[in-house]
Amino acid sequence: MENAASLDRIFSKIGENMLLVWWGVVMIVHPITIGMGAIGTGLILLGVNAARRLKGIPTRWTTTVVGSMAALWGLLDVILKPRFDVSIALLLIVTGLVSLAAMFMRPAFRESPE
């Protein structure tokens, strides 16, 4: 059986290739919006981390944060259907909020100095 590092590399490569295929589909298929593309990107990143977790491999913090951010931005973009400039503003707001939430969730941040 493959070791954890090898399996982690396989999951990374699968995720990278799924993202390339998804972004290509988003560019080609007209009814798919940027918001839907962002949702798919977030789901792919979160799905790779879910597969890691199911196999007992530590998840990657970065892909969890970026996946959550992409899914949330895409969801807001699909629901609100904003103009492009407002969509970019939503991306900035979501990035800030997810980054703040991630900062507060890190164990090192929660530990009180004694």
Side-chain angles (χ1 to χ4, degrees):
M1 179 158 187
E2 296 148 315
N3 62 21
S6 175
L7 200 51
D8 186 45
R9 279 190 300 279
I10 291 169
F11 284 141
S12 291
K13 290 297 178 188
I14 289 170
E16 290 169 9
N17 289 310
M18 287 176 66
L19 285 172
L20 291 172
V21 169
W22 176 240
W23 293 336
V25 168
V26 169
M27 290 179 184
I28 290 172
V29 180
H30 180 61
I32 298 179
T33 65
I34 295 298
M36 291 177 200
I39 292 170
T41 297
L43 291 177
I44 289 169
L45 293 173
L46 294 173
V48 169
N49 267 348
R52 282 186 177 111
R53 187 164 188 96
L54 288 173
K55 291 292 187 175
I57 300 168
T59 59
R60 295 194 180 168
W61 187 255
T62 306
T63 54
T64 301
V65 171
V66 173
S68 300
M69 183 178 63
L72 180 58
W73 172 49
L75 186 63
L76 288 172
D77 198 73
V78 167
I79 290 171
L80 301 176
K81 297 178 181 18
R83 294 183 327 259
F84 181 74
D85 57 335
V86 176
S87 180
I88 297 301
L90 278 174
L91 174 61
L92 295 173
I93 292 167
V94 167
T95 300
L97 290 174
V98 170
S99 295
L100 280 172
M103 184 179 77
F104 285 110
M105 291 174 63
R106 284 189 179 261
F109 187 82
R110 289 183 287 182
E111 293 175 7
S112 60
E114 295 182 23

